[in-house]
Amino acid sequence: MTRPSTPSRSHRLRRLVLLMAGVLAGGAGLVVTGSADAGTTLGAAAAEKGRYYGAAVAAGRLGDSTYAGVLNREFNSVTAENEMKWDATEPSQGRFTYTNGDRILNHARANGKSVRGHALLWHAQQPPWAQSLSGTALRNAAINHVTQVATYYRGKIHSWDVVNEAFADGNSGGRRDSNLQRTGNDWIEAAFRAARAADPAAKLCYNDYNTDGINAKSTGIYNMVRDFKARGVPIDCVGLQSHLGTTIDSTYQANIQRFADLGVDVQITELDVQQGGNQANIFATVTRACLAVPRCTGITVWGVRDCDSWRTGANPLLFDCAGNKKAAYTAVLDALNAGGTTTPPGSTTPPPGSTTPPPGSTTPPPGSTTPPPAGGCTASVSMNAWTGGFVATVRVSAATAISGWTVTVALPAGTAVTGSWSTRAGGTTGTVAFGNVDYNGRIAAGGSTEFGFQGTGTPPAGTPGCSAA
Ligand code: 9MR
């Protein structure tokens, strides 16, 4: 088991924040942007900021009603803690087993949650047969593993940790020695290319620990990502695990920002924090740092309750063993609900205080004389398409407060929806109605939320319909 070295081991809150963005000079009009209603769960609050808030899930715990209750209520993204790793999915060479991975995936999808895939290649948790291979035989087996697993889950995984923990600790800034590394320094890019070919819709991430600030290890990874971007190696995001002790690096946010500046998303992938005097503050600091960087698209905590954590005795999570919310939970929720966020790319809602719609916005410009229909909702789409497939991110905006929504999308003939997140899809072909899930139906006046779907075929064109409840 790899342990990072750093850790020593209701009521409805309703704060409507209306931001008067300013009166445009020359009497052009009054511009008012309102933040969304405060979210009452982690997932809802994060969704209102265009992010996800997820948890690592163990298939064996899904039958625990306290565990499942907290998971279903609070989180809108899920990562399989162990069930999609190499030893779990290919226990003998060429024989693939997805039973436990599918249990987690199906639970997540049935409850409207997106799924992070973790992890295609890693030096740890390899099946014994792979540990005994080397050279070309291991390289071929590894790439085949990436291809098979990413193909099996094609269209169902929001982001894949394609390669996990390949850099060395300490000051070298170089790669970790491993059987995979000994197949040649290009093993990481080979894995990313194979993953892209197998699942073009998934965001492909490099994931590591002790990278939670600007240091030699994170700089080594930064240099690799910069090189990949320069040479066109497909990489979409960097995962910062963030297994934290009792302090947080003062360069935590700056480190996220420098990766974002390379043109990749950043995801906080395995957050947990040693319980102690600063736990709640550190959780809040991580949350604020992510919200401050537009390309930081989500946070995952590494487990649901303290007793579910791999860090026995550290009590590093947001819920106690009985499923009660801890002070750290409230700190995170408050940070998510506070103003001052930045809007991730693809979003069509201007950040609070903005008077200029982002490029590609389909919402009326400030000062427009055609407001959205009173009492209703509008939907706008950001489309990422390639030959044969697409991923659509849909923003649902409400002019006045609503308590539910349905977005209808007309798909061209031959096009089919293969997956969706933060919504319930009523069908896969023709005109498909996408309804809200429990945590994102309620939108305050002037607020918005996001969901997504992916599909095969030609992407739908035009503006979807939106009806509010
Ligand atoms: O939480 C996981 C634990 O149940 C496993 O025993 C362990 C085996 O290595 O892996 C843990 O998850 C790790 C994750 O996959 C990668 N980053 C470090 C995590 C904690 O060790």
Side-chain angles (χ1 to χ4, degrees), residues 1-2 81-82 85 118 122 125 164-165 241 243 270 302 310:
M1 180 166 73
T2 301
E81 187 174 0
N82 289 296
K85 292 172 180 173
H118 173 84
W122 187 21
Q125 288 184 275
N164 192 42
E165 301 178 7
Q241 294 186 9
H243 295 292
E270 304 184 14
W302 204 241
W310 68 296

Side-chain angles (χ1 to χ4, degrees), residues 362 378-381 407-410 460-466:
T362 56
T378 55
S380 58
V381 183
V407 171
T408 44
V409 178
T463 303
C466 191

Side-chain angles (χ1 to χ4, degrees), residues 154 196-197 199-201 384-391 415 455-459:
R154 179 186 172 113
R196 177 70 95 228
D199 186 353
N384 175 17
W386 59 93
T387 306
F390 62 89
V391 176
T415 291
T456 53
T458 309

Side-chain angles (χ1 to χ4, degrees), residues 26-116:
L30 180 68
V31 179
V32 179
T33 54
S35 87
D37 188 14
T40 56
T41 66
L42 300 171
E48 287 177 359
K49 297 291 165 66
R51 269 81 170 180
Y52 66 82
Y53 208 99
V57 166
R61 294 182 198 263
L62 287 172
D64 177 330
S65 59
T66 306
Y67 179 89
V70 174
L71 170 67
N72 293 348
R73 184 187 73 228
E74 294 289 342
F75 297 99
N76 60 355
S77 170
V78 155
T79 305
E81 187 174 0
N82 289 296
E83 292 79 352
M84 294 187 187
K85 292 172 180 173
W86 199 350
D87 60 348
T89 52
E90 196 180 2
S92 58
Q93 189 166 13
R95 186 174 66 82
F96 291 85
T97 58
Y98 298 108
T99 311
N100 286 325
D102 282 351
R103 284 176 68 193
I104 292 175
L105 184 108
N106 292 335
H107 183 95
R109 286 161 64 88
N111 289 282
K113 306 176 195 309
S114 62
V115 180
R116 294 195 80 259

